[in-house]
Amino acid sequence: MLIDIGLKLSVMYTMLPIVILSLFMGLVGTGDAAAIIPKAGCSVSVNTDLAAPQPLLLIPGGSLDVYGFKLPTVPGDVINFLAGETLTLACPGTNNFLNVAGTGNSVVTATCVSEKNFRINGVNYAFSTLTCRSIPSHTARATGKICYNKNIELEVGFLVGNNFYNLHEICFDSADANPIYTKFELVANIGGLQTGFPRPSWVEGGFYPNLTPNTQYGRNQQIATLSTILGSTDLGAQYVSSTSDYYLSRGHLIAKADYVYGSQQRATFYYMNS
């Protein structure tokens, strides 16, 4: 009796791998196979696969804000695409366009083929070769709305065709040339931000008609201003040095590192954000 049971168990265990294999092969042969074996897609690193000048990476039909950008998968700096997924590459700015033969367009649709290869107009390109003619231009403009204490609201972002991708808003006191506050949304994907992107010069954005902020931040002007406030040139020179690192430096309200892409980080260098 014990021998019979052992033989039956032996047969059952011998048949089990065959049954499992048959079930698996049956699933692979059906339309449900894609749910088990995902299609190959593309993956692009924010820090190693974006060549300069990098285009904006936008989601086709996406929202006109920071979430309209294709962001890296949390955690890390890798942007993942499904095979066949499309991506809008944009190069806003005067005489700016994507450096792809036969296009000359500032906005182009690219389709994920596999790994780091994307198809544009029937031609495959390595993602690292997709660059703009120049760095995408950001824009600061008045929204026409009023913010705290009857000041003007500004928005900063990218104008792509007729669409404006808003990155942040600034409540700005134009009479005193002073920012009241800034507002933006920090994305959960910020851990994958592009590091070491070159810092640009600060820009005025057309909102300082009666003064030059860059001059105001200079050491000599700082000493002169403090001397006037304190009523003493000696005290002014005491608190701001003309030679050492002891002086007032410009700082961000919204930090450069609060955005994922270098193109977005550049848009924080408006004096209205300092």
Side-chain angles (χ1 to χ4, degrees), residues 41-47 49-50 57 59 69-82 85 87 112 115-116 118 127 189 192 260-261:
C42 302
S43 61
V44 175
S45 167
V46 170
N47 281 289
D49 294 323
L50 297 183
L57 311 185
I59 300 171
F69 290 76
K70 183 69 175 178
L71 298 171
T73 302
V74 177
D77 74 339
V78 176
I79 313 166
N80 292 304
F81 302 84
L82 297 174
E85 183 177 349
L87 175 70
C112 163
E115 299 180 350
K116 301 182 188 299
F118 286 74
F127 195 84
N189 320 67
V260 171
Y261 294 107

Side-chain angles (χ1 to χ4, degrees), residues 223-265:
I223 293 173
T225 300
L226 282 177
S227 296
T228 300
I229 294 173
L230 299 173
S232 168
T233 55
D234 290 337
L235 287 175
Q238 176 182 336
Y239 291 111
V240 175
S241 172
S242 60
T243 56
S244 71
D245 290 335
Y246 202 70
Y247 64 97
L248 300 176
S249 180
R250 286 162 293 202
H252 285 74
L253 294 178
I254 299 173
K256 174 178 181 282
D258 283 338
Y259 286 109
V260 171
Y261 294 107
S263 55
Q264 298 172 329
Q265 295 169 11

Side-chain angles (χ1 to χ4, degrees), residues 7-62:
L7 288 173
K8 289 178 182 178
L9 288 174
S10 177
V11 172
M12 289 175 65
Y13 284 127
T14 303
M15 292 296 293
L16 187 58
I18 299 174
V19 173
I20 293 174
L21 180 61
S22 298
L23 288 172
F24 177 75
M25 293 300 291
L27 285 173
V28 170
T30 69
D32 294 331
I36 298 174
I37 305 175
K39 293 181 179 179
C42 302
S43 61
V44 175
S45 167
V46 170
N47 281 289
T48 59
D49 294 323
L50 297 183
Q54 62 185 244
L56 305 183
L57 311 185
L58 304 174
I59 300 171

